[in-house]
Amino acid sequence: MILDKEKFKSDYVRKLMNSFAEEIEGASKLHKYFALGGLVRDYVTENWVNTNKYYLESGEKQIYYFSMEFLIGRLLGSNLLNLGIRQVCKDGLTELGISLEELEEIENDAGLGNGGLGRLAACFLDSMASSGIPGHGCGIRYRYGLFEQKIIDGYQVEVPDYWLRDGNVWEIRKENKAIEVRFGGKIRIDYINNRMTFIHEDYEPVRAVPYDTPVVAYDKNMVNTLRLWSAEPIAWEFDFNTFSRGDYVKAEAYRASVEAISQVLYPDDSNWEGKLLRLKQQYFFVSAGLQSILRSYKKSGLPINELNKHIAVHINDTHPSVAVAELMRILIDEELLSWDEAWHITTDIMAYTNHTILSEALEKWPVDMFKNLLPRIYMIIEEINRRFCEALNRKWPGQWGRINNMSIINDGLVKMAHLAIVGSHSVNGVAELHTEILKHQELSNFYQFYPEKFNNKTNGITHRRWLMKCNPKLSNLITDTIGSSWIKAPIELNSLAKYKYDPAFQNKIASIKKANKANFSNLIKNKYGIVIDPNSIFDVQVKRLHAYKRQILNVLHIMHLYNKLKENPSLDILPRTFFFGAKASPSYHLAKQTIKLINSVATKINNDSSINDKLKVVFLENYSVSLAEKIIPCADVSEQISTASKEASGTGNMKFMMNGAVTVATLDGANVEMKDAVGEDNIVIFGLKANEVISYNKYGGYSSWDVYNNDMRVNKLITQLVDGTLSHSRAEFKNIYESLLMFNDEYFVLKDFDAYAKAHERVDSLYRNNTKWNEMCIMNIAHSGVFSSDNTIKQYSKDIWGTRELKLLPEMD
Ligand code: 26V
């Protein structure tokens, strides 16, 4: 948008006055932030209204991205960027004596996700809007996001994340768009007009109230919508009829049980199993979302049997897969379509993405629980399954083992991944390797039955947040060097490759990294009191804590470097600072123990002056989107070291690459494609390959005891876990010790240790050659454009959703 500085200043002063009855002099930072956010929202509202009107009137196909998680982070900076008014606002505010950066820091992160899956959904929203695709998010407005992490004495302590405490300037509550969602009760079957009719009785109604957040496109007049649902009790009449008059205790219990639905985001916990509330959450937002889509579709006057021409629904992991049955229910019970018509429309609308092969993460619900909570939905799933099993039996007559294995309902469990596959026309993995593993290992039966459904869509990241916003110096340098066309076509970053050998450009790249590192070092000193050397190699591993991601491999290697330095204090290794950031699920003990281990190692190393500050370890408390934006532009080395085959894609890997870090990686997830894009000279690959891991898992042949007995470095490290070196209590790290030895090291940490240590020796020697290192950084940035989520989302749009990319919204009258 075009905005004049003077106009902005007067708008801002007025907004502050109208919102808080304050002038700049007396206003708190919080109020100044809210006035700015409110003003930015005002600036987008007209386009927002016009966009919605256009979508409704034109019948343009809409895609709704259903996700339990949207890990948005902060919106002020990215909205200013997408509107193209950041600089003018910054200048205007400076003249008013206000620092924009300080106001940006006031905003609470919307941390409505655990990690990659939720952040991917947020990147996709940004890319859909910026590519002109009519695409919206649908999810839950959790009152509490993922917990806030405090580190106390080296241990993770979880504190509720009440992100809405100060209010949320971006959302609008749409009271008039509330929907009723029904739980429990029973189904009475009746014949009305000769049609078998299912009547839901004695159910518990819940009111779903939508809160809409604008999703602002980059340099386009479109504004899409993220709609998050909040659960509220149905008003007074319900309490009146259902409970005896004046029974406040019951009414209060009802209110609490309803509000619990949107109270808190579940951590992706190994203990989630069978959590009734989680299933309630899923049905709650899916039902509300689909009902509201249908309501607005019907307003447009288009016929119901053309719904699939105008609507697409994406199922982000299995969490929203109950959508298949809910849409069937609406089409059959409410719109009175036949089963076959409804099934055709439903499967044409639904598409499903799988985000993990870890079997613990695949959702299965006990039949009794499911039936009680969602009786009509259960009946529909039974019927879907009956027809599906019949079809299987036609293809593979009598192969009962295989049919049982593929059945949606089996062993007293409802298998949500199976429902999603059967009920969708598209099933995709999130990186080439991952999709191949799905097709030939995890879901091979389904692939044989439905080969046409399977496809790959490699993940991506929005380069607007993960380069332009978080690393403005680098972004400006790129534009100064190759022009600005890369912003709209990030693949054109590859023009930077020409400057690979240009010493002046190399120096500029190096000095930007240096400046970013110096800034961050100051922040670390102020926040943690740790003094780090900004000239040391910044080696970073930030991601959820999980055994398969192998933070343990990293920390064991740091201990190994420390051991070497203790043996030989004049050892010639380059100074390194290792950064970790990770939240562990509250009930995932091994993960929490790993955090304590990292902190114990940090305390030991950071306080040992005999190693001449050659090593430092920093655990970044409360890793979040906004912290990621600070650390990623500083990284020299990006740690992407998951056990091959286990990381579906990874997206942090791409963010580091785009900011010019060199990746130490296993050939897992999207690392494989990063290697292909950047070339093997510009990435440091090590360790077992996916097929080797899969083969060990199938046929055996690995014993961690062998490594322990034969490699004296490993032997020492494992012993140090339990001999009092790191903790007064020898039992402190016993679980880690046992997982590596007694349980045969499920994630091949010891097996890969030697290769990993060698990979780091390579990093050390590459870094010594400044010129070579700068070349590598440049090549990484230059080849990162293919990992922009704009690229990914265009493939979803074309191959799966059948949506169009609109250039601009036509002018509205
Ligand atoms: C959930 C659970 C729950 C039970 C305990 C173990 C466990 C482990 C992982 C998960 C998360 C599953 C879904 C997920 O977040 N997948 C991530 O999706 C990203 C976006 O596609 C992808 O880049 C990551 O590789 C993948 O782990």
Side-chain angles (χ1 to χ4, degrees):
M1 70 178 273
I2 308 214
L3 179 64
D4 168 80
K5 190 171 68 188
E6 293 310 317
K7 165 144 188 347
F8 165 73
K9 278 161 60 182
S10 78
D11 287 352
Y12 181 71
V13 171
R14 189 160 351 100
K15 185 76 189 176
L16 189 66
M17 178 67 84
N18 289 344
S19 314
F20 302 107
E22 281 170 349
E23 293 183 323
I24 289 179
E25 289 68 42
S28 66
K29 267 197 195 143
L30 185 69
H31 283 179
K32 288 179 190 158
Y33 158 75
F34 269 97
L36 180 60
L39 181 58
V40 172
R41 207 189 69 197
D42 292 349
Y43 286 154
V44 306
T45 43
E46 197 178 321
N47 282 339
W48 197 11
V49 170
N50 286 343
T51 306
N52 285 330
K53 212 158 120 193
Y54 175 74
Y55 289 165
L56 189 71
E57 288 169 6
S58 67
E60 188 73 40
K61 192 167 191 186
Q62 313 279 300
I63 152 73
Y64 294 88
Y65 198 83
F66 276 43
S67 178
M68 284 276 268
E69 304 189 3
F70 287 94
L71 188 44
I72 306 282
R74 292 173 173 157
L75 279 177
L76 177 57
S78 66
N79 283 343
L80 289 172
L81 177 87
N82 284 6
L83 288 169
I85 58 171
R86 188 164 193 278
Q87 194 57 45
V88 79
C89 292
K90 185 176 154 72
D91 296 346
L93 288 169
T94 308
E95 288 177 17
L96 296 170
I98 298 169
S99 148
L100 172 60
E101 282 84 1
E102 273 182 40
L103 296 194
E104 285 175 340
E105 284 298 312
I106 303 272
E107 182 170 355
N108 287 325
D109 272 46
L112 310 185
N114 276 284
L117 170 137
R119 183 55 232 174
L120 185 77
C123 283
F124 280 4
L125 289 180
D126 185 66
S127 284
M128 286 192 284
S130 298
S131 308
I133 294 166
H136 313 283
C138 176
I140 299 175
R141 181 181 180 270
Y142 300 105
R143 211 190 238 275
Y144 295 91
L146 189 64
F147 62 87
E148 182 186 335
Q149 178 192 57
K150 298 245 184 256
I151 300 295
I152 298 176
D153 296 332
Y155 296 98
Q156 167 176 295
V157 175
E158 300 94 24
V159 180
D161 166 45
Y162 191 21
W163 68 294
L164 293 167
R165 184 176 15 239
D166 304 320
N168 174 3
V169 70
W170 306 111
E171 65 183 13
I172 296 184
R173 179 181 164 95
K174 293 278 165 88
E175 192 72 46
N176 56 333
K177 301 257 171 80
I179 296 266
E180 185 178 292
V181 177
R182 299 173 173 181
F183 292 102
K186 35 185 194 297
I187 305 299
R188 184 166 58 81
I189 299 176
D190 207 345
Y191 282 84
I192 302 178
N193 296 332
N194 270 337
R195 185 184 163 102
M196 201 198 238
T197 304
F198 300 86
I199 301 155
H200 199 172
E201 295 176 332
D202 299 335
Y203 54 82
E204 185 179 275
V206 172
R207 188 156 174 265
V209 182
Y211 285 71
D212 287 355
T213 297
V215 182
V216 178
Y218 182 85
D219 197 27
K220 275 197 168 71
N221 57 356
M222 290 169 62
V223 181
N224 287 339
T225 301
L226 168 60
R227 174 162 283 186
L228 300 178
W229 297 92
S230 178
E232 297 183 6
I234 293 277
W236 188 234
E237 310 83 81
F238 173 73
D239 300 347
F240 234 56
N241 294 332
T242 309
F243 305 117
S244 55
R245 186 182 283 258
D247 191 344
Y248 286 112
V249 177
K250 269 191 186 157
E252 186 52 26
Y254 161 67
R255 189 191 60 75
S257 83
V258 167
E259 286 177 354
I261 296 173
S262 54
Q263 194 74 359
V264 58
L265 164 80
Y266 270 98
D268 63 19
D269 219 295
S270 36
N271 263 357
W272 70 269
E273 237 165 274
K275 290 266 168 35
L276 177 65
L277 188 55
R278 196 173 148 93
L279 180 58
K280 263 192 167 175
Q281 291 186 327
Q282 298 182 350
Y283 183 69
F284 167 73
F285 90 91
V286 162
S287 175
L290 287 174
Q291 289 189 57
S292 86
I293 291 168
L294 262 286
R295 184 173 58 191
S296 90
Y297 179 76
K298 287 170 79 175
K299 245 204 268 173
S300 73
L302 291 160
I304 195 74
N305 59 6
E306 285 182 14
L307 187 68
N308 50 325
K309 295 207 172 87
H310 301 278
I311 300 291
V313 170
H314 207 87
I315 299 177
N316 194 29
D317 216 359
T318 54
H319 320 146
S321 51
V322 67
V324 170
E326 174 66 0
L327 185 55
M328 288 295 284
R329 181 192 71 76
I330 296 173
L331 294 176
I332 295 171
D333 294 0
E334 293 178 11
E335 302 302 326
L336 307 180
L337 296 187
S338 70
W339 181 278
D340 290 337
E341 281 171 314
W343 185 243
H344 168 71
I345 292 171
T346 299
T347 50
D348 203 33
I349 284 177
M350 299 290 162
Y352 156 64
T353 298
N354 173 291
H355 292 268
T356 184
I357 63 160
L358 297 187
S359 54
E360 350 42 306
L362 294 180
E363 293 182 303
K364 305 174 187 81
W365 300 108
V367 163
D368 283 346
M369 188 180 113
F370 201 104
K371 218 195 261 182
N372 284 332
L373 187 70
L374 306 170
R376 176 65 183 133
I377 294 298
Y378 185 74
M379 290 168 84
I380 291 170
I381 293 177
E382 270 188 320
E383 180 60 13
I384 294 172
N385 194 41
R386 190 185 64 76
R387 291 169 184 243
F388 173 56
C389 290
E390 269 177 22
L392 289 176
N393 195 34
R394 281 195 295 275
K395 180 166 170 83
W396 293 310
Q399 294 191 24
W400 301 117
R402 188 193 302 226
I403 295 172
N404 265 338
N405 182 277
M406 296 175 75
S407 176
I408 301 169
I409 303 168
N410 181 235
D411 280 348
L413 296 168
V414 185
K415 301 186 173 171
M416 300 312 270
H418 298 194
L419 176 63
I421 298 168
V422 175
S424 298
H425 67 281
S426 166
V427 177
N428 75 281
V430 289
E432 278 164 17
L433 175 66
H434 170 59
T435 302
E436 287 309 301
I437 294 174
L438 290 180
K439 289 196 317 202
H440 302 295
Q441 310 282 334
E442 305 302 309
L443 300 177
S444 65
N445 280 328
F446 285 95
Y447 177 56
Q448 285 173 53
F449 191 67
Y450 296 126
E452 71 291 345
K453 289 192 185 187
F454 283 74
N455 64 94
N456 175 247
K457 296 285 168 283
T458 299
N459 282 167
I461 55 168
T462 166
H463 61 287
R464 286 167 291 276
R465 182 179 291 263
W466 297 110
L467 176 51
M468 297 168 71
K469 174 172 184 269
C470 76
N471 201 345
K473 291 194 186 88
L474 180 58
S475 173
N476 290 337
L477 172 66
I478 295 171
T479 299
D480 291 345
T481 311
I482 60 170
S484 60
S485 60
W486 66 275
I487 293 174
K488 293 263 179 84
I491 199 76
E492 289 181 20
L493 282 171
N494 62 17
S495 317
L496 285 172
K498 288 202 285 286
Y499 298 87
K500 176 181 174 188
Y501 300 117
D502 178 338
F505 185 68
Q506 286 185 357
N507 283 338
K508 286 182 194 157
I509 288 281
S511 61
I512 287 171
K513 179 99 349 144
K514 203 169 164 182
N516 290 341
K517 286 164 74 176
N519 273 343
F520 194 70
S521 303
N522 283 334
L523 193 148
I524 294 295
K525 193 167 149 217
N526 295 337
K527 185 152 189 225
Y528 302 95
I530 301 176
V531 178
I532 51 178
D533 173 7
N535 295 315
S536 62
I537 301 177
F538 278 25
D539 186 316
V540 187
Q541 186 173 21
V542 284
K543 47 183 82 253
R544 278 182 297 132
L545 216 143
H546 198 285
Y548 84 81
K549 295 180 185 277
R550 299 200 295 190
Q551 282 93 350
I552 291 177
L553 177 58
N554 189 346
V555 75
L556 286 178
H557 175 252
I558 298 169
M559 285 165 61
H560 164 62
L561 291 178
Y562 177 68
N563 288 341
K564 285 212 303 191
L565 276 169
K566 291 301 276 183
E567 275 165 27
N568 174 11
S570 58
L571 185 75
D572 182 22
I573 59 168
L574 292 177
R576 285 235 206 171
T577 306
F578 292 93
F579 294 91
F580 290 86
K583 288 183 182 175
S585 284
S587 68
Y588 188 177
H589 300 296
L590 190 89
K592 291 179 93 168
Q593 214 169 80
T594 307
I595 290 179
K596 173 65 178 162
L597 176 62
I598 295 167
N599 283 312
S600 299
V601 169
T603 306
K604 179 129 197 128
I605 291 181
N606 298 347
N607 295 311
D608 186 339
S609 55
S610 75
I611 59 165
N612 298 323
D613 288 339
K614 282 215 167 131
L615 299 177
K616 283 271 152 76
V617 182
V618 180
F619 189 94
L620 302 164
E621 192 178 58
N622 200 35
Y623 181 59
S624 58
V625 174
S626 53
L627 187 54
E629 290 175 38
K630 296 192 174 81
I631 181 74
I632 289 171
C634 302
D636 297 302
V637 176
S638 157
E639 299 276 351
Q640 306 300 335
I641 60 177
S642 53
T643 311
S645 79
K646 303 291 182 194
E647 187 70 274
S649 163
T651 43
N653 46 3
M654 302 167 184
K655 294 165 196 164
F656 284 100
M657 180 189 188
M658 200 172 263
N659 283 275
V662 170
T663 310
V664 173
T666 47
L667 284 176
D668 198 16
N671 298 348
V672 179
E673 289 153 76
M674 282 169 47
K675 185 203 90 179
D676 292 343
V678 79
E680 57 191 357
D681 290 346
N682 297 308
I683 186 168
V684 179
I685 299 289
F686 77 98
L688 289 174
K689 314 274 184 293
N691 58 339
E692 293 169 326
V693 170
I694 291 168
S695 156
Y696 277 127
N697 283 338
K698 264 197 189 149
Y699 309 112
Y702 167 53
S703 155
S704 60
W705 277 101
D706 290 348
V707 185
Y708 173 77
N709 288 327
N710 294 322
D711 185 332
M712 286 308 111
R713 301 166 304 177
V714 170
N715 194 298
K716 179 165 180 176
L717 291 166
I718 297 294
T719 309
Q720 284 174 325
L721 290 176
V722 287
D723 72 355
T725 305
L726 295 166
S727 168
H728 298 305
S729 154
R730 290 169 185 235
E732 182 107 76
F733 303 117
K734 198 160 155 265
N735 286 1
I736 296 179
Y737 173 88
E738 289 185 343
S739 77
L740 294 173
L741 276 186
M742 312 306 167
F743 298 103
N744 201 31
D745 185 16
E746 189 182 347
Y747 295 103
F748 302 90
V749 173
L750 304 190
K751 179 88 185 154
D752 270 346
F753 181 83
D754 179 57
Y756 183 60
K758 290 194 172 111
H760 274 287
E761 283 167 18
R762 252 195 92 200
V763 167
D764 187 285
S765 78
L766 286 165
Y767 198 86
R768 281 168 201 267
N769 182 344
N770 262 328
T771 313
K772 173 68 195 153
W773 189 267
N774 291 335
E775 284 168 27
M776 291 173 77
C777 294
I778 295 168
M779 292 301 273
N780 271 280
I781 303 165
H783 293 101
S784 66
V786 61
F787 299 109
S788 165
S789 44
D790 290 9
N791 181 26
T792 313
I793 218 68
K794 286 175 177 154
Q795 295 171 35
Y796 274 91
S797 177
K798 185 166 148 291
D799 304 344
I800 302 180
W801 302 330
T803 39
R804 296 196 308 162
E805 293 169 34
L806 308 177
K807 289 247 156 351
L808 270 184
L809 223 53
E811 284 303 318
M812 309 293 284
D813 14 272

